[in-house]
Amino acid sequence: MITLKNDLLKFDITGILGHEINQHIDFYNTGVEEAYLAIKNNDNSTALTILRSLKSQLDLEYKYFDTKRFWDFGTFNDAYSYVDGIKRASRALVGAPNYRNMRSMLYDIRDYMTRTRFDDDRYYGNVFALDVDKYLDEMTALEHHSHFGMFLQGIRTFYHRPGKVTAKQCLTLSKGLPPKDIEPFILIEYIEKYLR
């Protein structure tokens, strides 16, 4: 089976490279094919082990993608077909994997998991938060304490803990900064949801 670089693709708090999404898609689709091959070779034990690994990963990702915080961001997520596939596959797999439901569960994973390929070198998800992190990493200690540095730290906090309080804090920190300087770092529609 494929080893994943990261267990979770946190689209809501950072940008994720397409090749990493593709790796997750391949993890599921290749895993299903390996399990079917094991079944064909009368090795149901190996097939069940693979299925348990696939279901465990699906449950982990589903739990993350099913949070309110992620739902609020989900409409802005340009990798929605991947997230939707995870949600559908996970909801279809009811109960613990066993020899009786093994084929059915493998079929559901294959049926719901997206086959859409993402551009390997393109970022998906919250590219605004990724830009904030990159910019903050390049700042000196003195720049971190500047008005602009404090704003970037505030917007980073908002992306990690979105809510009315952090959104208002960002609005306050943005006062006096030229709009052209802050636009590359703010997903306006996302922050406005919390300012209503």
Side-chain angles (χ1 to χ4, degrees):
M1 287 197 55
I2 294 171
T3 303
L4 296 173
K5 180 179 173 189
N6 291 313
D7 289 342
L8 289 173
L9 302 177
K10 298 181 178 183
F11 296 109
D12 56 328
I13 61 173
T14 191
I16 306 290
L17 277 170
H19 80 82
E20 211 172 330
I21 305 169
N22 291 335
Q23 182 190 48
H24 277 245
I25 293 167
D26 292 342
F27 171 82
Y28 292 109
N29 292 323
T30 303
V32 166
E33 295 309 315
E34 289 174 5
Y36 275 132
L37 183 61
I39 291 169
K40 183 179 175 184
N41 293 330
N42 294 320
D43 188 358
N44 287 349
S45 174
T46 298
L48 187 58
T49 300
I50 293 169
L51 174 58
R52 285 181 176 145
S53 177
L54 294 173
K55 184 170 184 334
S56 176
Q57 180 63 31
L58 267 173
D59 290 346
L60 179 72
E61 291 191 73
Y62 177 78
K63 184 177 178 183
Y64 187 83
F65 295 149
D66 199 42
T67 60
K68 182 183 181 329
R69 180 179 91 179
F70 194 87
W71 281 5
D72 286 349
F73 178 77
T75 55
F76 305 111
N77 183 2
D78 51 358
Y80 186 76
S81 65
Y82 175 76
V83 174
D84 188 54
I86 292 292
K87 287 181 174 183
R88 288 172 180 257
S90 185
R91 285 191 293 249
L93 304 186
V94 178
N98 57 49
Y99 291 116
R100 276 193 344 270
N101 64 15
M102 182 168 58
R103 289 174 191 264
S104 171
M105 285 188 162
L106 289 169
Y107 176 83
D108 286 337
I109 294 170
R110 182 169 61 187
D111 191 41
Y112 290 117
M113 184 48 54
T114 185
R115 296 215 184 300
T116 301
R117 300 305 286 181
F118 295 86
D119 296 336
D120 281 343
D121 297 326
R122 180 180 161 211
Y123 282 98
Y124 296 85
N126 194 341
V127 294
F128 294 91
L130 182 66
D131 289 342
V132 168
D133 287 341
K134 285 179 182 176
Y135 204 93
L136 280 169
D137 287 345
E138 294 171 1
M139 286 181 130
T140 65
L142 188 60
E143 290 171 324
H144 269 268
H145 295 291
S146 70
H147 185 182
F148 187 63
M150 298 299 282
F151 163 75
L152 289 178
Q153 291 172 57
I155 197 73
R156 174 194 265 169
T157 301
F158 169 75
Y159 287 137
H160 284 265
R161 288 191 321 270
K164 189 169 250 174
V165 172
T166 53
K168 283 183 178 181
Q169 185 179 35
C170 289
L171 188 63
T172 302
L173 290 168
S174 70
K175 292 197 186 321
L177 293 172
K180 67 175 180 54
D181 289 351
I182 63 175
E183 282 174 6
F185 305 105
I186 295 183
L187 180 52
I188 294 168
E189 298 89 349
Y190 187 37
I191 204 166
E192 282 178 347
K193 288 177 80 166
Y194 294 95
L195 292 172
R196 292 184 194 132

